[in-house]
Structure formats: structure tokens, C-alpha cells
Amino acid sequence: MGDTTSEPLLTTPLDALHRELGARMVPFAGYAMPVQYQGILHEHAQTRERAALFDVSHMGQAEIRHPEGVAAAAAAFEALVPGDVRGLAEGRIRYTLFTDAHGGILDDLMVTNAGDRLYVVVNAACKHQDFAHMGRHLAGCEVKTLPDRALLALQGPEAAKVLARFAPEAAAMPFMSARALDVGGIAVWASRSGYTGEDGYEISVAADDAEALARRLLAEPEVEAAGLGARDSLRLEAGLCLYGADIDATTSPIEAGLAWVIGKRRREEGGFPGAEAILKQLAEGPSRRRVGLRIEGRQPVRAHAEIRDAGGARIGEVTSGGFGPTVAAPVAMGYVDAAHAAPGTAVACDVRGKALAAQVVPMPFAPHRYFKG
Amino acid sequence: MAKIYFSEEHEWISVEGGVGTVGITEYAQTQLGDVVFVELPEVGASIDKGDDVAVVESVKAASEVYSPVSGEIVEINEELADAPGLVNQNAEGDGWFFKITLADDSELDDLMNREDYDAFVEGLE
């Protein structure tokens, strides 16, 4: 997951705090990032059972404005994504995708109707392309990137209790909503969302305030720091895609099981990049599908392992895999030929010449526990 | 009295009566993080020095383990199947991987003693 360029690594506003906390720092998407503090299994369990704070300041944040207001910005944004952005109520967030002319996925992202603007969060490794892409194609809009904002994710079943201690309004925020909050004197933009399958918040804060906010949250008895290692094992158990592994320009939203991101009106009207290919695939069914895999035994199966049918024929490839700490078993996701995609299908995964028995299963592996109000 | 040697690949081998017990070092386990699975060789397998003979899987990644000597595998640590965390808890004790007969004692001359290994690790940091 690291990269190997010789460019000096960028740091997030929490770099000194990570080192003080004893993090193991690794290169990720051009940044020095904490992969773990005390250990991935511990941080994973901490997130599932209580609350954990993740630094995701490497991700790309931007604001999109249109002189005629947010509705005009939303209409322009729909030229790049298959999601219903015009229908997004004020303060609501939607998960969506930048698609290309062939129906491939350029990135996945969160877009929020922030009242007078759209607020967008994209993947770190794609952010410069994404910003340029938006700048080129969002007719009449101003795309303002937010390099001076940090992003902290507070995740876990006790996240709401902790944040509400400083900002009582946080408790009642619906899942996939966002608003401005005052967290004990620090102004933030808080989204009730995340990448772990748990309840929680993703909190955008001025870089200058980031360390004070992080220290304030970490001082609460429920909260510990968690790194990218646990973030990956948590999102895998939650069945959430990692861009560059499970989805990319060679996978379509339909193959990826992300047809639900295409709004009803968008299915009828099209008008997004690759609409023809994507809507045709939606109608006819894709030739391969992303599926979850439960591996028998304890041996993890990693990305790029071949998936075979009962007769030994190659039917696909694993795109993400590892040991699921909460399910206490190896879990993986990957693409298989559509004929083998039904839950319950027996398959095998090749690991170093050994065929490990596995079964296609529905995802998530660990149930989502989002706030239901 | 067993004598312990270390490789640059962070394996240890404790030799007594012509048989070596092999595992990964304390330094290696801290670098790997939480171990969730260890793939061990088969008893009876004939191994050349430097062969990849085991695989240790942490939450994040798989790492190969190389045999520091040539010989035949005579025993494997069956406890690791149910308790791979032993590698983290006691890498240079209960977390051992396998036992191997020594085909050529002189291969031990290429390995380090603890003092040299500690200095080697210090040089990596």
C-alpha cells in the first residue's frame, strides 16, 4: 500500500503527535502516515468496541461553489458522477463515483450539500487528478481545494457520546448528514460518516486547530489513536471498497456492486460519463461481480490471489484480503464470473500453490452499526 | 547447553545435539506486528540453507522465513496453528517455528551471535 517514489514525504498537521504517541510511520500516497500505534488487532477492537481517532488528513477536501448557488453547483457536479446530487438536501452527504467515458471508476468520494456550496472528500492518491478533473469539467463553478484543513475520523460505538460531550448537537445528527459544530471552542465541519462500518464522524478542522482537537478527543477515556492498518481491516470487514484495489478505471460501478449509487433519475436521464456503458450493463447484467469470500481455516488470502471454481478453472481474482479480527477468520473480496457470484458458491483461492477452500458470502462480514436515530 | 545464532533475515536458531530450533527474532516480530497465521514446513521435508521454509502472516502482510541451515525438518510447532500470537508474545521461546537436523555444522559459521545481531539491528534503526 505504500509507494516507492523518492519524493520527500508530506506530513499531516498531526505528524508530531503521531510520533509522540509512538506510531510506526509509513509512506502512503506521498504522506508519512501512522500505520499503527499499539498494534492493529488492538486498534481494530478498540474501534469496534469503544472509539478510535484516525488521522485522514491526507485525503483531498474541496469546496465547489457556483455564482447561482448550490443547486447550480449540484447540477454541474452531476456531469461527473452518476449520483443524484441535485436531490441532496441541505446538510446531507452522498457516496458517489467519478466515472470515465468507458464506465470505469476514476475515484470514489463523498459529496455534501453544505448549504451555500458542495463539500467534497476524495482519496489521497487521486486528489490531484480529481481536483484537476473538477476544475476542467465543472462548468461555471469555482473549485477551491482545502489544503489547510485536516481531517480526523472519530469512529466507534462511543464516538457519539464523546463528541456530544463537547458539542451536544452531534448526538442527534443523522447518519450521512453534516453540519458545523463548535467542539469546545474549535470550529469544525462534522460529517456523521466513516470507513469502518461503525457509527462515527469525519471531522474537518483548520490545520492549526487539528492537534488541539486530536488531543482533546484522545484525552477522553473512551478514545485511543488508531492507524491505517486498522482502518484497512475495519473497512474490509465492513465490505467497503478501497480505491486502487477493489475499484479502479477497469471496474464498472455495476461489476463492483455499486449500482445503488446511481440515482433513480440518473438511470432514466443518464448524462454522466460512461452512462451508456453503465446503464447497458445495469440492464443486461455484468459478466463479473465483486463478491465477499470466507476462507476456511485461518490462513489469510491476499490481493491478486486467483479464485477457482470447484473444477479448478480460473474464475476471478481477489482484490482485498486479510484476517478479519472481529469475525476472527480470514476474509476477502474479489471479482468472479457472474455465474459463480451467488452466495453459497464453493470456490478455492490459490495461495502459494495451495488451494484454500472458500465460499462466496454476502457482505459486510461484520454488520454495519450506523446511527439510525 | 544450547547455543543460539542469528541470521541477517532475523531468524534465530538454537542448536543442541545436532538439532536446531528455528524461529523469528523479537525484532522481527515487532516489525511484523500482530501475527495471525504461520505456514510451517512439513515434517520430513529436506531443506537447503536459505530456502523459504515458512510464511508468517501479520494482519497486513505475508513475510517469508528462510532456513538458516540445511537439513531435515523433524518437528514443527503445532501450537502456532491455534495460537499464532505466541510469535508476538514470545518470539524467541514458545513462538518457535520448527526443528531441523543440521546437515553441515559449518553453516553456523555464517551466522551471528547475539551481541553481533544486536549491533546489526541497531544499525538498521
Side-chain angles (χ1 to χ4, degrees):
Chain A
M1 58 186 254
D3 65 14
T4 52
T5 58
S6 54
E7 302 272 308
L9 290 175
L10 301 169
T11 56
T12 77
L14 298 184
D15 191 67
L17 178 59
H18 297 317
R19 292 170 198 278
E20 179 185 317
L21 293 173
R24 179 174 306 162
M25 305 298 286
V26 298
F28 182 81
Y31 285 80
M33 296 298 293
V35 67
Q36 66 170 66
Y37 302 81
Q38 298 179 57
I40 295 173
L41 294 179
H42 175 85
E43 292 159 29
H44 183 109
Q46 173 71 24
T47 313
R48 289 267 184 259
E49 290 160 17
R50 303 197 78 189
L53 188 70
F54 300 77
D55 179 12
V56 289
S57 301
H58 58 318
M59 297 187 78
Q61 302 180 62
E63 291 174 344
I64 320 292
R65 285 184 176 79
H66 190 285
E68 289 161 31
V70 71
F77 205 76
E78 287 197 350
L80 296 183
V81 301
D84 180 358
V85 185
R86 279 164 49 196
L88 203 51
E90 181 172 345
R92 295 295 169 144
I93 310 169
R94 193 149 282 165
Y95 172 76
T96 192
L97 308 165
F98 289 130
T99 49
D100 69 17
H102 311 289
I105 301 172
L106 295 174
D107 198 4
D108 59 346
L109 64 141
M110 295 286 222
V111 58
T112 305
N113 176 343
D116 62 341
R117 64 196 186 278
L118 299 178
Y119 166 68
V120 174
V121 179
V122 302
N123 279 299
C126 305
K127 67 182 176 184
H128 298 298
Q129 299 97 287
D130 289 344
F131 293 157
H133 185 60
M134 288 190 283
R136 264 198 309 276
H137 297 289
L138 294 182
C141 294
E142 179 208 2
V143 178
K144 183 183 168 201
T145 62
L146 303 173
D148 297 326
R149 308 269 311 167
L151 194 63
L152 309 186
L154 180 66
Q155 300 279 296
E158 304 203 37
K161 188 167 84 181
V162 170
L163 197 59
R165 213 169 275 153
F166 301 101
E169 312 94 307
M173 287 172 64
F175 180 60
M176 294 297 269
S177 75
R179 56 170 292 162
L181 288 178
D182 179 328
V183 182
I186 298 175
V188 308
W189 179 259
S191 302
R192 196 154 199 174
S193 57
Y195 194 45
T196 61
E198 299 298 326
D199 187 19
Y201 304 84
E202 292 171 298
I203 305 168
S204 176
V205 59
D208 288 346
D209 292 332
E211 187 176 326
L213 177 63
R215 285 187 188 278
R216 184 165 300 173
L217 295 171
L218 288 169
E220 296 304 303
E222 297 90 346
V223 184
E224 291 183 13
L228 293 185
R231 183 170 156 84
D232 191 53
S233 57
L234 289 157
R235 72 88 197 168
L236 175 60
E237 283 187 336
L240 301 172
C241 291
L242 171 63
Y243 190 82
D246 309 305
I247 49 174
D248 60 27
T250 71
T251 63
S252 81
I254 313 302
E255 292 170 339
L258 300 175
W260 59 271
V261 310
I262 310 171
K264 183 165 176 288
R265 175 175 53 79
R266 308 303 311 274
R267 292 180 189 209
E268 289 156 13
E269 295 175 1
F272 50 91
E276 198 181 332
I278 290 169
L279 295 176
K280 181 166 182 280
Q281 212 176 59
L282 182 64
E284 296 174 359
S287 60
R288 58 175 188 163
R289 290 183 187 277
R290 182 174 64 96
V291 296
L293 299 167
R294 271 297 283 272
I295 320 296
E296 282 180 24
R298 287 185 65 94
Q299 182 162 4
V301 173
R302 310 285 180 183
H304 309 303
E306 289 198 350
I307 307 171
R308 299 183 181 279
D309 69 10
R314 187 185 192 284
I315 55 166
E317 189 177 305
V318 169
T319 51
S320 283
F323 191 81
T326 302
V327 300
V331 292
M333 60 173 90
Y335 287 84
V336 296
D337 296 343
H340 300 278
T345 306
V347 299
C349 297
D350 275 5
V351 179
R352 298 181 289 272
K354 218 164 51 178
L356 299 182
Q359 195 179 55
V360 175
V361 296
M363 289 188 281
F365 300 101
H368 292 162
R369 300 195 295 174
Y370 302 133
F371 179 63
K372 302 258 171 44
Chain B
M1 173 71 186
K3 203 167 170 204
I4 190 162
Y5 305 84
F6 298 86
S7 75
E8 292 191 358
E9 286 78 36
H10 308 287
E11 291 93 20
W12 56 267
I13 177 168
S14 169
V15 180
E16 191 166 18
V19 174
T21 303
V22 178
I24 64 168
T25 64
E26 176 63 21
Y27 172 81
Q29 77 79 14
T30 60
Q31 291 297 304
L32 287 171
D34 298 313
V35 173
V36 295
F37 183 80
V38 182
E39 184 181 327
L40 294 169
E42 297 201 354
V43 171
S46 184
I47 302 295
D48 287 330
K49 176 181 173 163
D51 281 356
D52 47 347
V53 69
V55 178
V56 54
E57 301 255 11
S58 70
V59 185
K60 279 229 68 71
S63 308
E64 292 184 328
V65 175
Y66 305 97
S67 182
V69 295
S70 307
E72 186 187 316
I73 304 293
V74 291
E75 191 180 344
I76 57 174
N77 187 353
E78 307 274 4
E79 298 212 10
L80 295 183
D82 290 326
L86 285 174
V87 178
N88 297 113
Q89 290 152 27
N90 193 357
E92 296 179 18
D94 293 345
W96 63 278
F97 282 24
F98 58 86
K99 297 187 181 185
I100 184 170
T101 58
L102 265 61
D104 178 1
D105 284 358
S106 72
E107 287 175 346
L108 296 171
D109 298 342
D110 302 333
L111 301 172
M112 292 174 271
N113 63 24
R114 181 170 299 275
E115 194 182 337
D116 290 345
Y117 176 72
D118 288 347
F120 171 72
V121 164
E122 208 158 293
L124 299 175
E125 288 172 345

